[in-house]
Amino acid sequence: GFIAAGVFTVLVAGFMVMRAFGIGPAGSLLASGKLGANEQLLVADFDAPGADTSLGSAVTEAVRTDLAQSSVVSVMPASAVGAALQRMQHSRGSRLDLALAREVAQREGVKAVVDGSVRQLGGGFLVGMRLVAAESGDELASFHETIDGPKELIPAVDKLTRKLRGKIGESLKSVRANPALEQVTTPSLEALKKYAAGARAADGESDYSKAIGLLTDAVRLDTSFAMAYRKLGVALRNDGRSREQSDSAFARAYENRDRLTERERYLAIGSYYQQGPGRDREKAIAAGEALIERDSMDRIALNNLALALSSRREFARAETLFRRSVYSSSPGVQENSNLISAQLARNEIVQAESTLKFAQARFPGAAEISTLDAAIQYSRGRVDSAERSLSHLRTASPDPGIRTWATDQLGFLEMLHGRLTASMRDWNDAAAQNVARGAPNDPLAGTLDSAWVESWFRENSARGVQILDAALARTPLRSLKEYERPYLRIASVYALAGRPDRARAVLGQYATEVKDS
């Protein structure tokens, strides 16, 4: 017995030493120098021959989620992969097989690609996963698992991904500390398929309308699928849908936050307080700072924290964070757009132009970037150029949200030229476009525009007050949700119409009723 125990101890010690020094089959890839600490990996689309095509996408997303829990590697974001594909003259939604994934990885400085397959085997599946060197194509690690049916697929992917993390060099304690994959995603394979397709549409293709439909299906299949709820909330906000819809999604993600990875949990908390119904800026900032303490180059955490600081008019600090996010290993489109907005807020027009050129080269054709040329032209005082840019977007942009935004902005430029009727026509057109695409307008927006024009530009104060009084009699502020009540704009229009007494009354109501930090 003593001899057996001694031999076992020697074997375990030998295994750990070999692993630590990268020797033999037990050696880790970090110790052998084949991968570096905090290395970024690119996850290729898993192959699923003979099976439902969405099965491979679901497994790919599950692998990305599990690897994102690692303390020693990170995953190249889908938005960065999409941008790289676009620069390579491919569609953003192109299928990323191993050959294309290796090409993307080499161009973007990523050392290794995670690849795999799900093959039908009688009534079950053979799930394979491997890590491949991007430059040479050498196989660095390979694992397989046989399962009896679809219900075992998510646990099998979890098991293989943990083996891969251990082979890379992550401590076994760290690997085992993470919750099971089906806990932090969903036990429903069908819901995971919908989530994977929705995430691809949102992050890879910036097609938020498509993403909303798929993610809605995912949460219908699993009503506690927290990751899908958070992604749905973001897609709803980015597509300009009603705040009530996005609030509901963020609230459900927050309620189920215990089912998330540590990173996703902080993102859900931040979204709930910053974009959702929590409405507490300090708590949103705290969640962002906790994420950055966990990973100082987490681009989404940097971006979200910078947005919260911008809302507090801390533009200098926000710009620093946006810049860190943009120059991280895999920036997304939104971070570049937000950096330009922060630079314009500080009147740094030359820097904003430089960032725009960088973004246009990195994200050719990206819808969010296309809107910023008009803002920079206007900041330069080139109003005609801004108008041409907006007119092009209104007719040529494939994104209905951007066409609506351009129409609304053209209304302001018509106002600048004194063309009041044309201005109101543009704003009414924008409102109709919003309704058509399922993004309701603020209940009193059109009325406030009319009252403002009558009071200030047409100098008919009595008519402006009459329009506003009638609107508030029909739709009292207390009949609206708190975030729909335009207290400050109503007060401004009353003041411009020569009724500061009514403006003060509205401001007093605001001070009493609004609790949003």
Side-chain angles (χ1 to χ4, degrees), residues 394 407-430 449 452-453 457-458:
R394 176 164 65 176
T407 303
D408 182 70
Q409 296 302 300
L410 281 166
F412 284 104
L413 294 189
E414 295 285 14
M415 180 72 71
L416 185 69
H417 293 304
R419 297 191 283 264
L420 304 182
T421 303
S423 175
M424 293 300 295
R425 184 180 61 242
D426 283 342
W427 288 340
N428 289 334
D429 284 351
D449 291 338
W452 174 45
V453 169
F457 294 99
R458 298 192 192 281

Side-chain angles (χ1 to χ4, degrees), residues 171-488:
S171 74
L172 299 181
K173 180 180 178 182
S174 171
V175 172
R176 289 170 181 160
N178 295 140
L181 180 60
E182 66 178 355
Q183 180 185 333
V184 297
T185 56
T186 173
S188 167
L189 182 58
E190 293 305 311
L192 186 60
K193 288 178 183 179
K194 293 291 186 182
Y195 172 79
R200 181 186 290 270
D203 299 333
E205 303 166 25
S206 296
D207 188 339
Y208 299 117
S209 181
K210 178 181 175 183
I212 289 165
L214 290 162
L215 294 166
T216 300
D217 288 343
V219 298
R220 191 179 295 122
L221 290 164
D222 179 358
T223 56
S224 56
F225 193 171
M227 283 181 70
Y229 278 119
R230 193 190 75 79
K231 185 75 73 176
L232 175 60
V234 172
L236 288 163
R237 286 297 294 253
N238 287 346
D239 202 46
R241 300 295 181 93
S242 77
R243 195 158 169 179
E244 188 172 15
Q245 289 177 291
S246 58
D247 272 4
S248 175
F250 286 130
R252 293 301 299 272
Y254 182 79
E255 288 165 11
N256 292 283
R257 63 191 180 279
D258 290 341
R259 289 192 56 185
L260 294 168
T261 64
E262 181 187 31
R263 178 176 180 273
E264 279 284 335
R265 187 162 59 253
Y266 278 124
L267 287 174
I269 292 169
S271 296
Y272 175 77
Y273 286 115
Q274 186 169 341
Q275 298 173 292
R279 313 267 191 267
D280 191 315
R281 188 160 44 196
E282 293 309 312
K283 289 181 179 178
I285 288 172
E289 289 174 337
L291 259 178
I292 290 172
E293 187 176 342
R294 176 184 177 274
D295 179 358
S296 63
M297 293 305 290
D298 186 317
R299 66 185 191 88
I300 295 178
L302 289 166
N303 182 71
N304 291 353
L305 177 57
L307 285 171
L309 294 170
S310 293
S311 75
R312 210 159 60 179
R313 303 189 65 80
E314 294 183 28
F315 295 122
R317 188 181 170 201
E319 183 183 348
T320 300
L321 294 173
F322 281 136
R323 189 177 295 280
R324 271 172 59 190
S325 182
V326 163
Y327 293 103
S328 65
S329 54
S330 298
V333 176
Q334 202 67 49
E335 295 94 292
N336 285 266
S337 172
N338 291 337
L339 174 59
I340 293 168
S341 298
Q343 288 169 330
L344 290 176
R346 302 187 69 204
N347 203 34
E348 296 175 344
I349 301 173
V350 173
Q351 294 91 323
E353 287 176 326
S354 175
T355 305
L356 179 61
K357 287 178 183 175
F358 172 81
Q360 287 170 331
R362 193 165 182 85
F363 305 99
E368 294 94 330
I369 300 300
S370 66
T371 64
L372 291 160
D373 176 66
I376 289 176
Q377 296 293 351
Y378 183 84
S379 298
R380 281 285 190 199
R382 301 168 184 160
V383 178
D384 290 344
S385 297
E387 197 163 1
R388 282 193 294 273
S389 180
L390 290 168
S391 296
H392 173 74
L393 288 175
R394 176 164 65 176
T395 56
S397 175
D399 187 320
I402 288 177
R403 293 197 299 272
T404 302
W405 173 84
T407 303
D408 182 70
Q409 296 302 300
L410 281 166
F412 284 104
L413 294 189
E414 295 285 14
M415 180 72 71
L416 185 69
H417 293 304
R419 297 191 283 264
L420 304 182
T421 303
S423 175
M424 293 300 295
R425 184 180 61 242
D426 283 342
W427 288 340
N428 289 334
D429 284 351
Q433 290 172 39
N434 267 333
V435 172
R437 67 190 189 90
N441 300 283
D442 292 336
L444 293 170
T447 299
L448 280 165
D449 291 338
S450 298
W452 174 45
V453 169
E454 288 295 329
S455 301
W456 188 246
F457 294 99
R458 298 192 192 281
E459 297 183 339
N460 188 347
S461 298
R463 174 65 182 148
V465 172
Q466 183 183 25
I467 290 171
L468 201 48
D469 284 349
L472 292 174
R474 286 192 308 271
T475 312
L477 284 177
R478 288 190 179 90
S479 70
L480 302 175
K481 294 180 177 65
E482 186 177 301
Y483 58 78
E484 292 179 325
R485 303 174 192 174
Y487 295 98
L488 303 184

Side-chain angles (χ1 to χ4, degrees), residues 125-141:
F125 297 95
L126 174 65
V127 187
M129 184 184 300
R130 57 180 176 162
L131 186 67
V132 177
E135 193 70 39
S136 65
D138 292 344
E139 192 174 275
L140 304 176

